[in-house]
Amino acid sequence: MTTHYLLDHHFMLDQAKGYGEFGHLLAFNPGAKDAQLKITLYFEDREPVSFVQVAPAGKSTESNYGHWPIKPTVRFAMAVESDQPIVCQSTVGWNVTMNSYDPRATTKSPRGIRECAKSYMAITQLARDWYLPDGIVIDGIESIYVRESEWALLLNPGAVDAQVTMALHYDDIAEHKVTVPARRLRFVYMDEIARRNKHYGVHFQSDQPLAAQWLRTVNWYDSDEIMCYWSVPCVPGPLT
């Protein structure tokens, strides 16, 4: 049995603005035997829920939010347990058409119909140390035309609350402590922690095994619409 962790999911509908966010799980089973999957969804504010599905042999299969036991608006992480070797990837699309991809879809956005997407591979282990090399919160309208925000995503699938120290490495080191409750996902908004317009790396140290991921969004200064975004798994440690 192997477990794959995919931390960055957001099923969203904003009726007032017309925004939407919708995602997918891709499970590639290259073997000769169907894989039996147990999928557990972890939330920020409630207990996990689980369901099962099959990844047929010799192919890649897609499933998505529309078939899972969730409703908008909710953020969540996912653990995929498989009895066969598989590879997992997630893709999530943000749009201004209320999750409609019909050619006749309409939008409230003055910038017109559009979508941006993020896609990332699964994390395949838990660790007490995680590393992120590319941190920067960009906020300087006088010198750059985009604004960039960041979040650290921490999943604690265990039964004990995790105490985490985030060491932000600039020329010096600044520490910030967070608690990730048991069986919960924690989003940490880095704009409230990091120094503006300064590159930094992050070393996460936890007293419980975690999975860690990093999300960055790019916006125009005059709009909360997303220009683009990406999401990357952090690197497990310890590094030697």
Side-chain angles (χ1 to χ4, degrees), residues 181-195:
R183 298 180 299 277
R184 295 291 188 274
L185 172 67
R186 175 81 186 264
F187 269 69
V188 181
Y189 186 44
M190 298 305 298
D191 294 37
E192 298 176 344
I193 300 169
R195 301 169 190 171

Side-chain angles (χ1 to χ4, degrees), residues 152-165:
L153 287 62
L154 302 172
L155 173 63
N156 177 9
V160 178
D161 292 356
Q163 307 303 320
V164 182
T165 299

